[in-house]
Amino acid sequence: MTIRRLLRGRVSGAELEAVARETAVRQDTEFESVRLLEANNWLSTPAVVNGEFFVKIITRQNTILQGLLTTGRNLGAFSSGNEAFFERFDTPLEMAEHELAATREMCALGVNAPEPLEAFEHEGDGVLVLEYLPVFETLDDLDRATAEQVAPDLFGALARMHQAGLAHGDLRGENVLVAEDSLYFIDATNVREGAIDQARAYDVACALAALEPLVGPTVAVETAAEHHPTDVLVAAEGYLDFVNLRPDHAFETPPLRGEIQRTVESSANS
Ligand SMILES: Nc1ncnc2c1ncn2[C@@H]1O[C@H](COP(=O)(O)OP(=O)(O)O)[C@@H](O)[C@H]1O
Ligand SMILES: [Mg+2]
């Protein structure tokens, strides 16, 4: 087995079909089909069963890699002068159960997410089952007009989560799906209890980072300021360099900083 395959923790064809069949039984339907989804994924194997159920299979290796990444992210947060707040999972089932619980909480708050169905364990793998969205774009694929249109929903949904003591923790373009102009939040991560303030600022920093290349810094910060208090924006500014370390970001830090400072000054003067 190559190190790449070991790290990737891909499931075998036999395991994929067995998980798909168990999903069908549990969802009280006949098994018809399973197909892997095209995703360049290191943390899970996503598939669709019967064209109806989104199934995310998490192996032991996925959990180990997630733990390593979590340690790295905590170190990154720490070295950029912020407290560490990401939490790791011990087992694949725990990862799947956490994501199911987070998805349920988002739905209960009226935040759009694919309908959460169940989490279970299969031969040591964790399995999460959600409603399958057949057609969507990801946030980072949107054109400027659509991005401007959905930006208030993005910051509004985050504010609603934060007020309820929930944080997303891994907000990036590919984890926000857009279908029929509605945002669907997926892939919420685990944040240490008692660290909601830091996680809140980090979420807002991630949202600014995702939006800045699409709508520019002024609209991004103005929209954020409509939904989040000034102290959160200031704290978010402290996370921008840390967010910028992530390879999947293409935003400019200085203009965002400038806009945040302008917003803070104008709110202090008003
Ligand atoms: N409910 C869903 N319906 C259809 N596709 C989905 C759904 N949820 C996720 N996906 C697709 O599967 C990919 C991987 O899912 P995600 O939960 O982000 O897994 P990971 O934790 O491995 O990043 C997403 O980037 C998205 O393209
Ligand atoms: Mg993801």
Side-chain angles (χ1 to χ4, degrees):
M1 190 189 278
T2 64
I3 188 85
R4 204 174 161 79
R5 180 163 151 69
L6 178 78
L7 275 175
R8 281 213 156 209
R10 281 267 155 185
V11 300
S12 67
E15 170 68 356
L16 178 66
E17 183 168 336
V19 166
R21 286 185 180 279
E22 178 157 353
T23 303
V25 170
R26 284 168 163 267
Q27 292 295 321
D28 216 9
T29 185
E30 294 283 320
F31 169 71
E32 288 163 14
S33 64
V34 60
R35 91 186 143 76
L36 285 174
L37 286 174
E38 277 305 317
N40 192 15
N41 246 2
W42 291 71
L43 290 177
S44 68
T45 301
V48 55
V49 174
N50 289 4
E52 187 180 357
F53 305 110
F54 173 78
V55 174
K56 177 160 155 174
I57 307 171
I58 302 157
T59 62
R60 186 79 218 159
Q61 286 103 308
N62 291 149
T63 307
I64 293 169
L65 181 61
Q66 195 267 348
L68 286 171
L69 291 179
T70 302
T71 306
R73 294 173 82 200
N74 278 331
L75 272 173
F78 187 68
S79 66
S80 66
N82 294 293
E83 216 178 306
F85 58 84
F86 301 103
E87 214 152 55
R88 53 190 295 162
F89 299 97
D90 290 330
T91 67
L93 179 62
E94 251 183 49
M95 265 176 86
E97 282 177 337
H98 169 79
E99 198 171 329
L100 181 74
T103 310
R104 283 193 174 136
E105 281 183 76
M106 289 194 283
C107 290
L109 293 170
V111 170
N112 251 346
E115 185 190 349
L117 296 170
E118 64 174 324
F120 63 90
E121 190 170 43
H122 187 275
E123 305 272 334
D125 290 341
V127 183
L128 170 72
V129 187
L130 305 175
E131 165 197 10
Y132 172 60
L133 302 177
V135 183
F136 63 83
E137 282 179 293
T138 59
L139 183 69
D140 38 13
D141 286 337
L142 298 182
D143 58 47
R144 183 174 180 124
T146 314
E148 280 190 15
Q149 190 188 327
V150 302
D153 296 343
L154 178 66
F155 287 110
L158 284 181
R160 207 181 287 186
M161 287 192 238
H162 295 163
Q163 274 149 21
L166 186 72
H168 186 282
D170 194 17
L171 199 88
R172 56 179 85 206
E174 60 166 54
N175 284 339
V176 182
L177 312 184
V178 188
E180 290 172 7
D181 290 343
S182 290
L183 300 182
Y184 289 78
F185 291 81
I186 62 166
D187 212 5
T189 175
N190 203 6
V191 165
R192 185 166 58 76
E193 237 175 89
I196 182 68
D197 285 348
Q198 292 97 297
R200 190 159 75 159
Y202 179 70
D203 272 354
V204 171
C206 289
L208 289 171
L211 278 178
E212 191 272 344
L214 302 171
V215 302
T218 311
V219 173
V221 173
E222 272 172 6
T223 315
E226 278 161 24
H227 295 89
H228 296 269
T230 314
D231 60 327
V232 171
L233 290 187
V234 172
E237 192 194 333
Y239 279 104
L240 289 175
D241 284 333
F242 171 46
V243 175
N244 213 1
L245 292 177
R246 282 184 356 195
D248 57 326
H249 276 295
F251 71 100
E252 300 284 343
T253 311
L256 275 178
R257 279 191 198 294
E259 285 299 333
I260 291 175
Q261 278 152 18
R262 243 191 304 285
T263 305
V264 172
E265 278 159 26
S266 75
S267 85
N269 294 333
S270 64

